[in-house]
Amino acid sequence: MKDNKQEFLFDKVNYKILLIGIGVIALGFILMSGGGSDDPNVFNEDVFNFRRIRLAPTTVLIGFGITIYSILKSPKK
C-alpha cells in the first residue's frame, strides 16, 4: 500500500509570511476607516489627515508587497 502523504504548495514559513501580510493589509484598512460625520451638512476635515492620506495606503501597499514576497519565495529543498 502506498503512503499518500499530502504535500502543501508552500512551506510553513511561506504561510506565516502570508498571514503577516494579510494582517498588515487589514491594519491598513482599519487605519483608513472612520472620519465620518453624523450630520450630512457638516464636513469633517479629519478625512484629509496624515493617517488616512499617507499612512494607511502605504501600510496596505507594504502588506501587498509582503504577500507577494511570501508567494514568490522559493521553498527550501
Side-chain angles (χ1 to χ4, degrees), residues 57-75:
T58 305
T59 306
V60 170
L61 289 176
I62 289 171
F64 281 131
I66 293 170
T67 305
I68 291 170
Y69 172 76
S70 73
I71 294 170
L72 295 178
K73 183 179 181 306
S74 62

Side-chain angles (χ1 to χ4, degrees), residues 8-20 70:
F8 289 107
L9 186 59
F10 299 121
D11 284 342
K12 192 174 184 180
V13 175
N14 292 72
Y15 287 113
K16 286 181 182 179
I17 297 171
L18 182 68
L19 288 176
I20 289 170
S70 73

Side-chain angles (χ1 to χ4, degrees), residues 3-75:
D3 187 21
N4 291 336
K5 186 178 179 184
Q6 177 103 15
E7 190 172 322
F8 289 107
L9 186 59
F10 299 121
D11 284 342
K12 192 174 184 180
V13 175
N14 292 72
Y15 287 113
K16 286 181 182 179
I17 297 171
L18 182 68
L19 288 176
I20 289 170
I22 291 171
V24 172
I25 292 169
L27 175 67
F29 279 108
I30 289 169
L31 288 173
M32 218 179 290
S33 67
S37 177
D38 294 334
D39 186 9
N41 296 322
V42 176
F43 182 73
N44 190 353
E45 290 288 331
D46 285 341
V47 173
F48 299 116
N49 66 7
F50 173 78
R51 188 184 78 181
R52 291 187 183 92
I53 295 295
R54 299 277 186 240
L55 183 63
T58 305
T59 306
V60 170
L61 289 176
I62 289 171
F64 281 131
I66 293 170
T67 305
I68 291 170
Y69 172 76
S70 73
I71 294 170
L72 295 178
K73 183 179 181 306
S74 62

